[in-house]
Amino acid sequence: MRNHLFTFSLFIMGIMLSSCAHYQPRIFVPTLNVSSIKNPLYASFYGTSTLLISDTTSSILIDGFFSRQGIVESIVNRMKTSDEAIKVIKVIKDKNIDAVLVSHSHFDHAKDAAVVANIKGARLLASKRTLEIYNNDVERPINGKNSTKVGDFKVTFIESKHAHKSFAKKLLERLFLFVAGGYEYSNAGDVYSYYIEHPKSNILVVPSADFPDKWAQINEKTASIVFLGIGLLGERDCPLPL
């Protein structure tokens, strides 16, 4: 009985973790006709927390999670990214990407980012924990004390919190990742939000559904646009401190 309960719990958790795998933005989201844009600064959303921000000259990709596998495929393929599968995705083929920002080390944010950066020859901006997953000892880890320039964009890294997860959900998630060969993604590591300044607009991106700890870092900043992650937001007992 216990074995059946464990198997059923693992199956349900796998469905929860891989539910975004069935959303294929390259199929359902119409291709953006850049030539028709009056304001050269635009954003394209590709599901989960994958967001491309571009001024048609320089582009920033946040998280870059594209190989969304179902539960069976995750276990069979051991949650590994396929370089060839990533290369055929339209946003990867057609867009000039200068930097890939990774908000934290969970698989739905970090799994494909290094491959995307390598394919596009882009800078990989991630925490120490995330770079360790990639065995990348070339890039310097980001931290909440610095910022970087990407073309006309200035990106400030803001230390944040991950959306709250119950103990049961964390446990089942770790069990599934262990079975699927993705246990290195069980630890979020440092979590970051981004304040992005551009001559056309200032943008705040919060990939995980919680507000940054370092409120003082953005309290005096003005954002015309805010992208706020909503995953697990419904489990909060109180509203965000906006």
Side-chain angles (χ1 to χ4, degrees), residues 89-124:
I89 295 175
K90 191 170 182 61
V91 67
I92 303 301
K93 290 196 301 180
D94 298 349
K95 301 295 183 183
N96 174 41
I97 299 173
D98 299 281
V100 178
L101 281 58
V102 187
S103 57
H104 59 275
S105 303
H106 285 155
F107 79 95
D108 53 339
H109 300 261
K111 189 176 77 166
D112 300 334
V115 172
V116 173
N118 182 60
I119 292 171
K120 302 303 293 184
R123 296 166 60 190
L124 183 62

Side-chain angles (χ1 to χ4, degrees), residues 4 14-15 29 34 70 100 203 217-218:
H4 290 307
I15 293 175
V29 177
V34 177
V100 178
I203 304 166
Q217 287 184 242
I218 60 173

Side-chain angles (χ1 to χ4, degrees), residues 199-215:
K200 293 289 184 181
S201 187
N202 294 331
I203 304 166
L204 176 64
V205 182
V206 185
S208 189
D210 212 325
F211 212 67
D213 278 332
K214 305 295 184 179
W215 169 253

Side-chain angles (χ1 to χ4, degrees), residues 175-212:
L175 287 172
F176 173 75
L177 290 173
F178 178 77
V179 172
Y183 196 74
E184 65 267 30
Y185 299 112
S186 61
N187 180 0
D190 294 333
V191 179
Y192 288 96
S193 298
Y194 309 104
Y195 182 69
I196 302 172
E197 299 171 82
H198 188 274
K200 293 289 184 181
S201 187
N202 294 331
I203 304 166
L204 176 64
V205 182
V206 185
S208 189
D210 212 325
F211 212 67

Side-chain angles (χ1 to χ4, degrees), residues 39-50:
N39 187 334
L41 181 64
Y42 68 91
S44 299
F45 177 60
Y46 296 96
T48 313
S49 61
T50 298

Side-chain angles (χ1 to χ4, degrees), residues 65-76:
F65 173 55
F66 294 104
S67 59
R68 302 166 193 171
Q69 303 162 328
I71 180 173
V72 175
E73 189 178 358
S74 294
I75 294 174
V76 171

